[in-house]
Amino acid sequence: MQPARLDRLSAILERFRISAQVCPAPSPACRRDPRDKVPNLFAASGALPLDICGLGVAASGGGLAYFPCGAPDDFLAALAADRPEGLVAAHVDIGGEGNPVARALPEVIAAPVAADSALKAVGDLLLEEVLEPRCGGGAVLDRLCEVLVIRLLRHAIRTGRTEVGLLAGLAHRGLCPALVAMHENPERDWHLESLAEHAAMSRTQFAKTFRDVVGTTPGGYLSAWRLTLAQLELSRGAPLKSVAGRVGFSSPAALSRAFTRHFGYSPRNAARRVA
């Protein structure tokens, strides 16, 4: 009997639901209203001008591209000047205010439409909805864009395209179990020894590998993850006292101090900032 496959993304996606909304693609013919959402997910039957962003040969020519923290201006300008065939653009949010999960992802996740069968299946459906509009097409496109982002994340993990960051850690055979353990159980009193055991490494090897691959220390990552979860719950109106224990802080006062230091505003202002 084979061991159960480790689920690398569900603990993140359950807390930070991906939402997508199709929006107008960049165009030189009209000025964008500053209040409009700026697209950061793009799908096209032709190549996207990713090489103009200095993102490397591997990303250039991709028919699918997701910029977690926003697409660069030069990329948007290039799209407006020379729109590829069958272009779909959407604004994707993952993580709420400030996209805390998005900040842990690479600058861009890109792939050709035909990079693998799962991506091609969603890409083909997207292009079909654009080229042959039907009733309810807007809602279908929004949902397909959400699925496309998840499949792009899977693709990036499976192919190991990202060199440093969260996806690189999830793609690493040893670090992945430790990261998933932190994501699923942030309230546990994690120590370097127990995390190293999950990774089947010595403490020294685990600490060095984690920093090299994820780009921060295990303790730094765990603290940021706990504070990200706290921000999410507090912004939804949960009381500080109940949040502190659920995300792994010894007391509300300890969470309040760390929260204010990390975000620059107090927990009591979290819900107000979102409103």
Side-chain angles (χ1 to χ4, degrees):
M1 183 176 178
Q2 291 186 339
R5 190 178 183 87
L6 195 63
D7 190 332
R8 308 172 195 223
L9 290 174
S10 286
I12 296 173
L13 297 177
E14 285 169 2
R15 290 178 167 92
F16 301 97
R17 183 183 177 277
I18 292 174
S19 63
Q21 181 180 349
V22 172
C23 51
S27 170
C30 60
R31 295 179 66 89
R32 180 177 294 276
D33 190 316
R35 296 168 295 182
D36 289 345
K37 292 184 180 296
V38 179
N40 59 350
L41 173 69
F42 305 88
S45 54
L48 294 170
L50 289 164
D51 51 339
I52 199 169
C53 307
L55 297 169
V57 178
S60 63
L64 303 171
Y66 170 48
F67 297 85
C69 292
D73 290 340
D74 50 359
F75 173 79
L76 296 174
L79 272 187
D82 186 17
R83 280 180 67 157
E85 183 182 353
L87 177 65
V88 180
H91 176 81
V92 177
D93 180 41
I94 175 173
E97 181 194 358
N99 288 344
V101 176
R103 289 198 299 267
L105 299 176
E107 180 184 356
V108 63
I109 303 169
V113 175
D116 64 37
S117 58
L119 283 174
K120 187 176 187 305
V122 182
D124 288 347
L125 285 172
L126 267 173
L127 296 174
E128 179 186 323
E129 287 291 331
V130 171
L131 298 174
E132 301 177 26
R134 285 167 285 187
C135 296
V140 172
L141 285 170
D142 290 350
R143 301 294 85 76
L144 286 173
C145 287
E146 294 169 12
V147 174
L148 179 59
V149 170
I150 295 173
R151 291 198 168 179
L152 271 172
L153 294 175
R154 287 179 182 171
H155 176 75
I157 292 172
R158 184 178 61 79
T159 57
R161 289 288 180 86
T162 55
E163 295 181 0
V164 178
L166 175 58
L167 293 187
L170 292 173
H172 191 282
R173 175 178 290 186
L175 297 183
C176 177
L179 280 165
V180 171
M182 286 188 272
H183 291 161
E184 292 182 344
N185 301 287
E187 77 287 351
R188 281 191 56 177
D189 186 18
W190 291 110
H191 295 282
L192 190 61
E193 294 87 345
S194 55
L195 291 171
E197 286 178 9
H198 275 79
M201 298 179 185
S202 68
R203 287 178 47 185
T204 303
Q205 182 189 15
F206 173 71
K208 182 181 186 307
T209 304
F210 196 100
R211 178 185 281 276
D212 290 344
V213 174
V214 182
T216 185
T217 64
Y221 182 86
L222 177 60
S223 177
W225 174 245
R226 286 170 167 169
L227 288 168
T228 294
L229 297 180
Q231 182 196 46
L232 179 68
E233 291 203 37
L234 291 166
S235 67
R236 293 172 176 172
L240 180 66
K241 186 175 181 179
S242 64
V243 171
R246 284 201 297 272
V247 300
F249 282 86
S250 58
S251 67
L255 171 57
S256 182
R257 288 192 298 270
F259 189 99
T260 304
R261 194 164 53 242
H262 185 79
F263 292 109
Y265 57 90
S266 69
R268 72 175 60 183
N269 290 324
R272 191 182 309 161
R273 287 176 66 90
V274 172

